[in-house]
Structure formats: structure tokens, C-alpha cells
Amino acid sequence: MNELVRQHTALDDSDLEWLHLLVSEWQLLSDLSFADLVLWVPTRDGTRYVSVAQMRPNTGPTSYQDDMVGHLVPRGRRPMLDAALDEGRIVREGDPEWREEVPVRVESIPVRREGRVLGVIARNTNLLTVRTPSRLELTYLQSASDLAQMIAAGSFPFPGQQVDMDASPRVGDGLIRLDADGVVQYASPNALSAYHRLGLAADLVGHHLGQTTAELAPTRGPVDEALAKVASGWAPREFEIEAHDGVIQFRAIPLKPKGTRIGSLVLCRDVTELRRRERELITKDATIREIHHRVKNNLQTVAALLRLQARRIDSERGREALEEAVRRVGSIAIVHETLSQNLDERVEFDDIADRVLAMVAEISPGKVTGRRSGRFGILDAEVATPLSMVLTEVLQNALEHGFREGDTGTVEVSAVRGGTSKEARLLVTVQDDGVGLPEGFDPHRSGNLGLQIVRTLVEGELGGSFDMVPAPGRGTRVILDIPVQTQK
């Protein structure tokens, strides 16, 4: 819609914002009217109309099989559009149109903002299935007429009240029509079922909705008075009530077709199961985070015990082996600590890589600087945990075997994500400028425990490839190629 309005019309950004607000609300008008809506805006030169938005009803058959957005129509071809735009009134005159052997009633509703008519809504009703209307349908149509008059007067939609139609109650979920005093004139079967869920045993018609709702809600005191007023539809509001193990979501819409409030529409939806599932997910997420937190604490305890044991061993090789184990456990603990702070089983791995780099750099025999370039991005937990161990082993190997006591140098970790959406890959390179590889060294046959761990994790658990080659000029380069899921 933005592109069409800016390309073809003279409307400014504030006018466009009003149209967006209207389009966010007009599913309500479409469902109440049992009709398709098409928003036509006059072009910059005033010779044509361009259709910038379209809505089909959930309550009846469509009048348009094709998408009308983007169509251009010259002035004069549709006189009802011209009359609504020029005279600023709702136009209903005219015989039904026939489209593919289907009779369609066409009406035009001017869209007014601050005294100016920005465009026209063409309301198209498929008359093929017309029958004697029920009380529900008559209430729908009367409410649609009131809303149409409010749009033509510029009092609907309500400024600052943009609604998420996916989250708000819809017409079919449950509808209650109130008079100016807040007394129920009509309640649809679904609306009545929602109130029965809250504990109401009687009918709603003839009762004051605000007072009835306040009596059902498990609140007392000043809150009751506020709830009674909101439920009476005095102002556009959304709210929820939980009572008798039921949760009902409400939306109140004041009706002021001629500037004076004549009543209200209250839409309601039973969201009991939805809220129950949300609570279960919240509880599950909290439990998972707590598990990760406890695993991290246990791993830190294990690391502390290994560190204590290392201090009591006289053998230098035994002490070094335990210290390596401490770092391996520590790298896993970092991942679980990060997971304990997230709502899902995915982590931002760049922070983990930086912490692993800092942890391993503590063992540097000389003045070696570590740095990272590129981004690992977000990774699933099943990738992050083994990758953190692989990174720990590769960095530890580089610092221990690439540099001697007193050496200075650099170890750089770089990460690049690429590939297609189905076969995304992460390329990780760890390069140092140390002494390099011994002559005839084969990383795929080495008996070094650290490299055995790397090979097992990369090729077996991560399904990737691992290689270690001389770096250009000086030092060693380790290359990890790992398949990953694309970031959502």
C-alpha cells in the first residue's frame, strides 16, 4: 500500500498512516457487512482511482475472485465512487451489478480524515445466497451501517488504537450489542457461551453488561467500578477476565454514527485453552532454563574439584591433563550458562567464542593476543555445545604447541556463514603466527587427545570437516566447515 499511495496519489505520510489504521480495523466492517471491501484512492492528477487495499469477509462469500490491489480505474466509469468522493456521503443508489452470473450490491463509503475525504471504500455484497436475515444478521448489518457512518464522518478508526486483528476477538468469536446505557440488546450464541464459561447462568439480553461482568470477575472494590465502565463500552478498550477457570478476551467499540454515542459493540473470545498453553510454555521454558543453570553450576563444581586435584598431583603431565579437562568442562559450562538466560534452545555464539578465547588465552606461555573476526551468529544448542569444545581444543593446541615461553604473536578466530537456505554452512578458521607444524605432521592420524576430540566432534557429531594446514608465511591454520541451520 505504501508504494501504491506514494507512486500514484498526493496523500502525505499522516494520511497514509490513517489508511494503515483503517486497514488494520476494516476486517470488522467486512465481516459485519458480509461484504468485500476495496479501498480506492484518487490519483495525483484526479483523473483516476487506484485500489490500494482489499479485504474479503469471513462471514460470507466473496464478490471478487481476483485480487483488485493495484488496479487503476478512470473517473466516470464508476459513478458511485465519484459521488462518494465529491459529496462526502455514503452512496447506496443503483441496481446490483452482475459479475460472472453473480448479482453484487455495490455501495461507496467515503474515508474522511480531519474534514478531508482521502478515498472511498467500495463495499461489494454477493447477493447469490441472500435469504431472510436472522436476528444475528440484522444486528451485524445495523452495526456495519453504524461503523460505515463513523468512517464517513472521520470518527473511525480510533486514533492511537491500532489493533492486531490476529490477536483481537473477531465478529464470529462472539458479539454483543449494547444500547447507550450499556444494556445488552443482543448477544450472539458464541458470546453467550463465553459468559457461561465465566459462570453466568442466565441470559444476557436486558442486563447491564458492565455490572454483570464486574460481578463475574474475581475482583472487588474500585476495580469493579472501572471494569463495569470498560465493559459497558464507553471507550475503545481491550481487556481480559479470568473467572471459574475460564479466560475471556474482550474488545469494546463505542458506536457514534452521528457524533453521539448510541451504544457499543463488544467482541469477546474464549481464550481459556490458549492461555493455559501459554502458561505451560512459560513453565516449560522456566524449567529448561533452570536445568541449564543447574547443569552449569554442576559443571563449575566439577571443574573446581579437578582444579583442586591438579594442585595435589606431583606429576607435571598429570597436572597438565587435569588442567586441560578443567578447560573442556569450562567451555561446556559457558554454553549452558548462555542457554539458561535464553527463552529457546538457541544461543548467540559470538559471546561464547569470545569467552572461550579469553579462557584459553590464560594458558599462553608468552605474550600472545587473541582476537575474533566475522560472526558465528545464532546457533542451536546441539551445535553450540560441541563447537565450543572444538574451539577450546583448537585454541589450546595453538597456544601450547605454536608458541614458546616468551614468544609474542597472535591467534585469530574468524567465522563466515554462507550457503543456501537449505544447506547453510559455517566456516571457522583459527590461525596463528607461531612456529608452524612439524615436518610430515598429519592431523588426521595424530594421536594427540585434543585433535582426536576435534575430529570426533566435527566429523561425527557436527557432520562437518576438519583440516590443519600451514598458514601462508608462518604459523598454522585450522579450518572447520560445519553445516548449520539458517538464522530465523
Side-chain angles (χ1 to χ4, degrees):
M1 186 166 72
N2 289 356
E3 183 179 346
L4 288 170
V5 168
R6 288 170 179 153
Q7 179 181 353
H8 295 284
T9 79
L11 299 183
D12 59 26
D13 288 343
S14 59
D15 294 331
L16 179 58
E17 184 61 32
W18 183 261
L19 296 184
H20 274 292
L21 190 60
L22 172 66
V23 168
S24 75
E25 293 270 27
W26 71 344
Q27 180 75 64
L28 175 63
L29 176 62
S30 178
D31 290 345
L32 289 172
S33 303
F34 309 97
D36 292 76
L37 306 178
V38 179
L39 177 57
W40 297 93
V41 180
T43 57
R44 190 174 289 105
D45 59 9
T47 62
R48 296 181 296 176
Y49 298 96
V50 58
S51 58
V52 299
Q54 179 178 356
M55 178 57 66
R56 292 184 172 90
N58 293 317
T59 52
T62 183
S63 302
Y64 285 110
Q65 298 300 323
D66 299 327
D67 188 356
M68 296 297 296
V69 175
H71 283 217
L72 290 164
V73 174
R75 273 186 68 99
R77 180 174 295 179
R78 299 193 178 183
M80 296 178 71
L81 291 182
D82 298 340
L85 182 69
D86 297 338
E87 301 172 24
R89 66 180 180 88
I90 298 175
V91 181
R92 295 191 174 94
E93 301 86 358
D95 297 327
E97 296 180 3
W98 286 84
R99 301 174 188 165
E100 298 179 356
E101 300 183 354
V102 174
V104 176
R105 182 175 62 240
V106 181
E107 304 166 90
S108 295
I109 305 167
V111 176
R112 192 183 303 273
R113 173 180 177 264
E114 297 180 352
R116 296 183 300 116
V117 178
L118 306 183
V120 179
I121 295 175
R123 180 163 55 175
N124 303 267
T125 307
N126 187 324
L127 300 178
L128 194 61
T129 57
V130 169
R131 53 186 173 79
T132 302
S134 64
R135 179 73 187 282
L136 180 145
E137 291 167 330
L138 288 173
T139 303
Y140 276 23
L141 293 172
Q142 180 58 54
S143 302
S145 177
D146 294 334
L147 283 178
Q149 292 182 59
M150 292 170 65
I151 292 173
S155 58
F156 186 84
F158 305 109
Q161 292 287 328
Q162 187 161 354
V163 175
D164 181 1
M165 291 305 298
D166 291 333
S168 296
R170 299 197 177 194
V171 170
D173 295 325
L175 179 142
I176 302 171
R177 173 87 186 213
L178 309 180
D179 64 13
D181 297 322
V183 176
V184 178
Q185 294 179 310
Y186 175 79
S188 71
N190 284 345
L192 193 58
S193 296
Y195 267 84
H196 287 168
R197 187 73 180 260
L198 290 177
L200 179 70
D203 194 1
L204 273 174
V205 176
H207 292 271
H208 190 278
L209 187 68
Q211 295 174 1
T212 301
T213 304
E215 291 171 359
L216 294 172
T219 56
R220 295 292 180 267
V223 177
D224 281 350
E225 298 177 8
L227 179 59
K229 191 167 185 178
V230 169
S232 298
W234 286 91
R237 293 286 187 273
E238 290 194 30
F239 59 98
E240 282 189 9
I241 294 176
E242 181 172 1
H244 294 275
D245 297 324
V247 184
I248 308 301
Q249 182 183 28
F250 293 87
R251 183 188 176 198
I253 304 166
L255 297 176
K256 303 177 181 179
K258 296 181 180 180
T260 302
R261 182 175 170 275
I262 64 167
S264 304
L265 282 182
V266 177
L267 306 181
C268 55
R269 177 171 63 174
D270 187 345
V271 293
T272 306
E273 288 303 309
L274 178 63
R275 295 295 177 260
R276 181 185 63 80
R277 291 172 186 171
E278 287 177 351
R279 289 168 184 167
E280 287 179 353
L281 287 174
I282 291 172
T283 302
K284 179 181 177 181
D285 289 339
T287 301
I288 291 173
R289 290 199 299 273
E290 177 62 21
I291 290 172
H292 284 303
H293 181 71
R294 294 190 181 189
V295 169
K296 182 262 297 184
N297 288 343
N298 289 338
L299 289 172
Q300 289 179 336
T301 301
V302 171
L305 292 173
L306 291 174
R307 196 176 293 112
L308 182 63
Q309 186 66 39
R311 294 172 185 165
R312 296 173 175 268
I313 292 181
D314 296 330
S315 169
E316 185 67 23
R317 292 189 61 183
R319 190 181 305 113
E320 290 177 356
L322 287 176
E323 289 173 350
E324 287 181 2
V326 168
R327 285 187 286 274
R328 289 167 184 147
V329 172
S331 67
I332 302 174
I334 291 173
V335 177
H336 282 282
E337 181 180 6
T338 306
L339 287 168
S340 69
Q341 301 168 2
N342 290 353
L343 293 177
D344 55 17
E345 292 291 286
R346 310 186 80 199
V347 296
E348 176 62 65
F349 197 81
D350 295 297
D351 178 59
I352 294 175
D354 291 340
R355 294 177 64 180
V356 168
L357 187 59
M359 178 182 68
V360 176
E362 295 176 359
I363 69 169
S364 171
K367 298 179 179 179
V368 180
T369 303
R371 63 169 180 259
R372 175 179 61 84
S373 62
R375 291 194 70 249
F376 287 85
I378 297 176
L379 299 177
D380 292 334
E382 57 262 29
V383 175
T385 301
L387 183 56
S388 68
M389 286 194 65
V390 168
L391 198 56
T392 299
E393 297 298 333
V394 171
L395 288 170
Q396 185 170 298
N397 188 74
L399 292 172
E400 284 187 351
H401 302 290
F403 300 93
R404 300 184 181 89
E405 191 71 35
D407 286 352
T408 60
T410 302
V411 176
E412 180 175 359
V413 178
S414 67
V416 178
R417 293 184 75 145
T420 65
S421 59
K422 293 183 178 179
E423 296 182 357
R425 304 194 73 82
L426 174 64
L427 183 65
V428 181
T429 304
V430 180
Q431 182 168 318
D432 65 71
D433 54 3
V435 299
L437 296 172
E439 186 176 349
F441 178 80
D442 184 355
H444 299 284
R445 296 181 178 276
S446 172
N448 180 288
L449 176 60
L451 292 182
Q452 289 181 10
I453 293 175
V454 170
R455 287 197 301 269
T456 301
L457 292 177
V458 172
E459 297 173 359
E461 192 160 342
L462 294 174
S465 61
F466 155 75
D467 201 4
M468 180 182 287
V469 297
R474 174 184 170 88
T476 304
R477 174 182 291 174
V478 176
I479 304 169
L480 309 172
D481 188 0
I482 301 167
V484 294
Q485 290 186 0
T486 56
Q487 182 173 337
K488 298 180 180 178

